[in-house]
């Protein structure tokens, strides 16, 4: 960088860089929260969407770490944060996952965001195999389906 070539002291270079590039953590935290709140799956795969969200959470954890205390108040805060992250992940999923989202929200005890991700990816895998109809509840899809193979008799017309 030409602006530092003629600097007489390393401290002067450091101060110059700090003035130019040091941003407030609060500003970065604000941007992270904004990105998290507005993130949507869109055309991304569930894995890509989850990875992006997890990266933002991890950066936020570095900039605004939780208490290391093992007291009851800290455990309550950690549980609240886990619930918030689960909701953030579920809110950004595409509408095609509305049934699985509802099923996850109804579970007791509440699942972790990692467990929710596993459930959603399993749902996606089943869809790709043609096992799941996205407009029906997964448990009711099998109701009314004939079990086993029944050969058609002569003269019978397939519908």
């Amino acid at each position: 960088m030409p602006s530092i070539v003629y600097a007489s002291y390393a401290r002067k270079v450091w101060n110059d860089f700090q003035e130019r590039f040091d941003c407030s953590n609060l500003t970065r935290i604000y941007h992270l929260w904004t990105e998290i709140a507005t993130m949507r799956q869109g055309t991304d795969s569930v894995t890509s969407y989850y990875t992006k969200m997890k990266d933002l959470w991890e950066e936020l954890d570095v900039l605004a770490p939780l208490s290391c205390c093992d007291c009851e108040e800290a455990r309550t805060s950690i549980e609240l944060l886990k619930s918030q992250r689960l909701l953030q992940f579920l809110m950004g999923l595409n509408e095609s996952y509305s049934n699985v989202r509802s099923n996850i929200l109804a579970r007791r005890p509440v699942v972790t965001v990692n467990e929710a991700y596993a459930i959603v990816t399993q749902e996606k895998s089943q869809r790709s195999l043609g096992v799941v109809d996205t407009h029906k509840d997964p448990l009711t899809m099998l109701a009314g389906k004939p079990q086993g193979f029944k050969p058609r008799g002569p003269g019978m017309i397939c519908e």
Side-chain angles (χ1 to χ4, degrees):
M1 299 185 116
S3 64
I4 65 167
V5 171
Y6 300 106
S8 51
Y9 300 101
R11 183 75 184 149
K12 188 174 181 179
V13 172
W14 177 252
N15 288 341
D16 184 52
F17 281 165
Q18 190 171 18
E19 283 177 25
R20 278 195 268 171
F21 301 113
D22 187 27
C23 296
S24 164
N25 279 351
L26 196 54
T27 302
R28 183 62 187 146
I29 290 169
Y30 173 84
H31 288 292
L32 288 170
W33 280 0
T34 302
E35 282 184 70
I36 290 168
T38 59
M39 183 172 287
R40 300 292 178 260
Q41 179 187 354
T43 58
D44 288 341
S45 68
V46 173
T47 300
S48 177
Y49 162 67
Y50 177 73
T51 301
K52 288 176 185 178
M53 185 72 83
K54 196 162 173 62
D55 287 346
L56 294 172
W57 289 329
E58 287 173 359
E59 185 177 350
L60 190 57
D61 288 345
V62 169
L63 294 174
L66 291 176
S67 172
C68 299
C69 177
D70 195 26
C71 61
E72 188 61 35
E73 291 82 18
R75 276 183 254 141
T76 303
S77 296
I78 291 170
E79 289 305 313
L80 178 62
L81 178 66
K82 287 178 181 179
S83 294
Q84 286 174 339
R85 290 186 177 177
L86 172 64
L87 294 174
Q88 289 165 344
F89 170 69
L90 293 175
M91 286 169 49
L93 286 173
N94 289 340
E95 274 307 304
S96 62
Y97 292 103
S98 62
N99 284 339
V100 73
R101 180 186 305 118
S102 296
N103 291 339
I104 290 169
L105 289 170
R107 287 189 176 205
R108 295 292 176 261
V110 176
V111 300
T112 66
V113 71
N114 286 338
E115 291 168 331
Y117 167 72
I119 292 166
V120 172
T121 54
Q122 182 178 10
E123 172 85 4
K124 184 184 179 316
S125 295
Q126 289 176 349
R127 285 179 188 181
S128 68
L129 294 173
V131 175
V132 176
D133 181 347
T134 61
H135 301 293
K136 293 185 181 176
D137 183 7
L139 297 177
T140 60
M141 287 188 329
L142 296 176
K145 278 196 170 185
Q147 301 298 318
F149 174 73
K150 295 180 184 175
R152 303 267 184 219
M156 303 227 25
I157 299 173
C158 292
E159 297 175 4

